[in-house]
Each structure stands twice: as C-alpha cells, then as structure tokens.
C-alpha cells in the first residue's frame, strides 16, 4: 500500500540511483585487472573486482537470490530495484566443485544487505592454484545509463562499491 502511495506522489525509488555495497572486504580494482577475458572485457556485465582480505561474502543489496551455483563459487542477486548482480568468487573456481565453499542461502531466498551468503577458505583455494579475485558485476548493464565503480582503495563489507545510474 505504501509503495503505491509513494509511486503516486512521484517518490518511487525505482527512478533513483542504485547503490551496490561491497559484498567482500578487500582491495577494489578495475575489471581490467582480472586475468579472465569474460570479466576484463565486461562480457557478463560492468562492475568491479575485489581482492578479498577474508573469506566472507555478504549480500550487497536487499533482494532475492536469483541463483546459487551448485559449486557455490558464484551467486546472482536481483536487487529490489531490478539490478541483476553477479558475485563470482575467484577465477576458474567452478573446477573446485564446491570444495572450500560453504553457502548460507539458497536460490529464491530473500536477503537484506549484510546477510551472510558464503564463506570460503581463501588459503585452501590459493593452495589449489586458484586466484581469489572476486568480480562483482551488474549483468543487466544495458538497462542503465552508467555503472560507476569505486576502485583503487580498500573497501569494508557494505561500503559503497558501485553506483548504478538509471
């Protein structure tokens, strides 16, 4: 009911910028630094990458889990404003078949920003020969005029990482 009233008054948050918070604590960098063309050439969408400092992934927005990959290395979230966000822990980590990952959510779950989604053992993943850099993408980039990443600094969990402009 309140949402309908907000829309009638022209106060809908669907027209406002979408802020995507950092799902991981670590160093924010450009997707160009990711050693995988799918990410560095923005084939799946625009965003940023984070070099994690710990093995936790939290929800970067309020929304719904669109897909928890069976291998637990990646999660898609649809924000309440419609941004389709992909969090991909590491490069080629799909090959680990879920080893060193623990999920706390399932596909279809509603989440709030800050809810714990995943934990992963960074040291074991690195020891197995994988890079743990974590791309955070807006997969429906074409629906927006601009994706503005924060890069070149360390981000805490839930610090602003991306601004998505309508």
């Amino acid at each position: 009911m309140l949402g309908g009233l907000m829309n009638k008054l022209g106060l809908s948050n669907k027209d406002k910028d979408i802020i995507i918070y950092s799902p991981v604590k670590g160093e924010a960098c450009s997707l160009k630094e990711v050693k995988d063309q799918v990410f560095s050439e923005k084939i799946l969408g625009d965003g940023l990458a984070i070099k994690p400092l710990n093995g936790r992934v939290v929800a970067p927005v309020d929304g719904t889990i669109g897909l928890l990959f069976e291998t637990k290395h990646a999660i898609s979230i649809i924000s309440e404003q419609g941004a389709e966000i992909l969090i991909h822990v590491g490069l080629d980590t799909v090959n680990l078949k879920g080893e060193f990952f623990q999920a706390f959510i399932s596909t279809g779950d509603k989440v709030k920003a800050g809810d714990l989604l995943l934990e992963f053992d960074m040291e074991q993943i690195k020891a197995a020969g994988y890079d743990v850099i974590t791309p955070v993408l807006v997969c429906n980039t074409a629906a927006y005029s601009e994706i503005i990443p924060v890069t070149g600094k360390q981000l805490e969990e839930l610090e602003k990482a991306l601004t998505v402009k309508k």
Side-chain angles (χ1 to χ4, degrees), residues 100-157:
F100 313 127
F101 291 90
Q102 181 179 4
F104 297 94
I105 44 78
S106 300
T107 299
D109 285 357
K110 298 271 187 216
V111 295
K112 293 285 184 195
D115 288 353
L116 181 62
L117 305 179
L118 284 180
E119 287 183 343
F120 58 98
D121 189 325
M122 279 189 4
E123 297 314 312
Q124 292 280 17
I125 294 169
K126 288 179 187 177
Y130 296 91
D131 187 339
V132 293
I133 195 166
T134 301
V136 179
L137 309 175
V138 176
C139 294
N140 59 338
T141 296
Y144 302 102
S145 66
E146 192 175 11
I147 310 290
I148 305 167
V150 171
T151 58
K153 67 176 268 192
Q154 183 173 311
L155 294 175
E156 297 296 324
E157 284 178 6

Side-chain angles (χ1 to χ4, degrees), residues 9 13 30 35 42 58 68-69 73 90 106 137 147 153 164:
L9 295 173
N13 65 0
S30 166
K35 295 179 178 103
K42 303 179 184 179
V58 300
L68 168 65
F69 287 70
H73 75 289
S106 300
L137 309 175
I147 310 290
K153 67 176 268 192
V164 180

Side-chain angles (χ1 to χ4, degrees), residues 29-47:
C29 59
S30 166
L31 287 174
K32 292 178 181 143
E33 293 185 40
V34 180
K35 295 179 178 103
D36 182 322
Q37 286 184 312
V38 170
F39 300 112
S40 64
E41 294 183 9
K42 303 179 184 179
I43 293 168
L44 294 177
D46 201 352

